[in-house]
Amino acid sequence: MITNDNFDTLWQQAEAQAFAQRLTREYPAWHRRRQQRRRVAVAVFAMGLVVAAAVPLLQPSSPLGYDRVYTNTSSLSDAQWADLAATMLTETA
């Protein structure tokens, strides 16, 4: 005769055995998914680092002076045009 205590113990052992078999069966797929997620996370992080390092390099630097002066007359040098522009911009009325 099976008592209530024995029945509960047998029931828990059967459940534990079924659960252990399920975990053993599903572990390889779970492990592959975990590795794939880790690889994706590392790749995204690496791309973020590359982008973060590249953004300052791609932004135009603010020139301290005039790099070039574009004009339709070639009689004046770039330095003369730059001086003229600086004078015009700094004069007050």
Side-chain angles (χ1 to χ4, degrees), residues 10-71:
L10 292 173
W11 185 268
Q12 288 173 354
Q13 286 175 355
E15 279 185 336
Q17 185 178 11
F19 188 65
Q21 288 174 351
R22 182 175 146 233
L23 288 177
T24 304
R25 187 175 58 246
E26 293 177 0
Y27 177 77
W30 172 82
H31 190 63
R32 277 192 305 275
R33 285 191 308 269
R34 184 172 179 223
Q35 284 180 330
Q36 184 177 7
R37 276 191 224 123
R38 184 177 294 148
R39 284 187 201 119
V40 168
V42 168
V44 167
F45 182 73
M47 288 179 66
L49 286 178
V50 168
V51 168
V55 165
L57 299 175
L58 297 176
Q59 293 176 347
S61 60
S62 59
L64 298 176
Y66 294 95
D67 291 336
R68 286 187 170 56
V69 175
Y70 296 99
T71 178

Side-chain angles (χ1 to χ4, degrees), residues 71-93:
T71 178
N72 58 357
T73 61
S74 60
S75 62
L76 296 175
S77 68
D78 286 354
Q80 288 173 316
W81 280 110
D83 291 339
L84 177 63
T87 303
M88 290 173 58
L89 292 172
T90 56
E91 283 185 3
T92 57

